[in-house]
Amino acid sequence: MKLTKELILQQEKETVLQHFTLADAYQLGEEVRKAAVGDPEQLIITIQLGRRLVYVRAGSKTTFENDYWAARKRNVVLHHEHSSMFVRLDNNADEEEYYRRNGLSHHDYAIHGGAFPIFVEQVGMVGVIAISGFPMEDDHLTCYQGLMNFKKKFAC
């Protein structure tokens, strides 16, 4: 599947939840792990709710580098309230221009797929799923599919 800005905007709309609480974070993390397009032991999966990091699962084949990438992708979503892959495509994958235009640093932000907003109906963005370990397109699709599976399974 070729990712486009239009497709990603549709994915963001499809994944809007009726509610999302701290109690839901573990189940969402598990659904993201199950949705992994490859070996989930290669992934770090993080969920931020508000300003708190409320879920972390580091696969046995991950390193600090994965933590760092997930954090930088998460910052992109927090800044723009769109998935990190959408922001990448919206900037024509021109990272240096993105950093210059937004006054941001590549040390803190990464416009690579793998972080996805958590939206709640009539509330807005309440959190972020961020993963790292696969190629960026697969990271993006894993987040999206995990969120869709969570929404269907728990009628959120």
Side-chain angles (χ1 to χ4, degrees):
M1 162 188 341
K2 178 165 174 47
L3 294 173
T4 65
K5 291 190 306 184
E6 296 75 22
L7 175 61
I8 294 170
L9 287 175
Q10 182 60 39
Q11 290 174 338
E12 290 178 2
K13 288 178 185 172
E14 290 173 357
T15 55
V16 174
L17 304 173
Q18 292 178 359
H19 61 83
F20 188 77
T21 67
L22 186 58
D24 297 318
Y26 175 79
Q27 291 301 329
L28 175 56
E30 285 302 297
E31 291 303 318
V32 171
R33 182 187 61 77
K34 291 176 196 172
V37 298
D39 179 2
E41 291 304 312
Q42 293 178 292
L43 288 180
I44 183 156
I45 302 168
T46 66
I47 299 173
Q48 182 167 328
L49 180 60
R51 295 179 58 178
R52 295 178 60 199
L53 194 58
V54 297
Y55 178 92
V56 177
R57 183 192 183 280
S60 62
K61 298 176 183 173
T62 62
T63 68
F64 173 74
E65 189 72 14
N66 298 103
D67 297 18
Y68 184 52
W69 274 96
R72 292 168 54 222
K73 294 178 204 183
R74 182 172 50 250
N75 287 341
V76 169
V77 176
L78 292 170
H79 194 80
H80 298 283
E81 295 194 3
H82 282 290
S83 76
S84 54
M85 183 60 87
F86 174 84
V87 175
R88 179 178 185 78
L89 295 176
D90 197 42
N91 286 276
N92 299 311
D94 187 342
E95 295 179 53
E96 292 309 314
E97 175 62 17
Y98 167 80
Y99 299 127
R100 186 195 63 72
R101 186 175 56 253
N102 290 285
L104 302 173
S105 167
H106 70 277
H107 296 291
D108 299 316
Y109 295 82
I111 56 171
H112 289 252
F116 207 94
I118 302 169
F119 287 110
V120 171
E121 267 180 33
Q122 299 188 12
V123 175
M125 192 176 87
V126 298
V128 179
I129 305 165
I131 72 171
S132 176
F134 298 150
M136 73 174 94
E137 295 84 358
D138 292 342
D139 278 353
H140 172 84
L141 291 171
T142 297
C143 287
Y144 165 69
Q145 194 58 58
L147 195 48
M148 286 299 293
N149 293 350
F150 171 79
K151 182 177 180 177
K152 289 175 187 169
K153 186 173 182 179
F154 296 99
C156 291

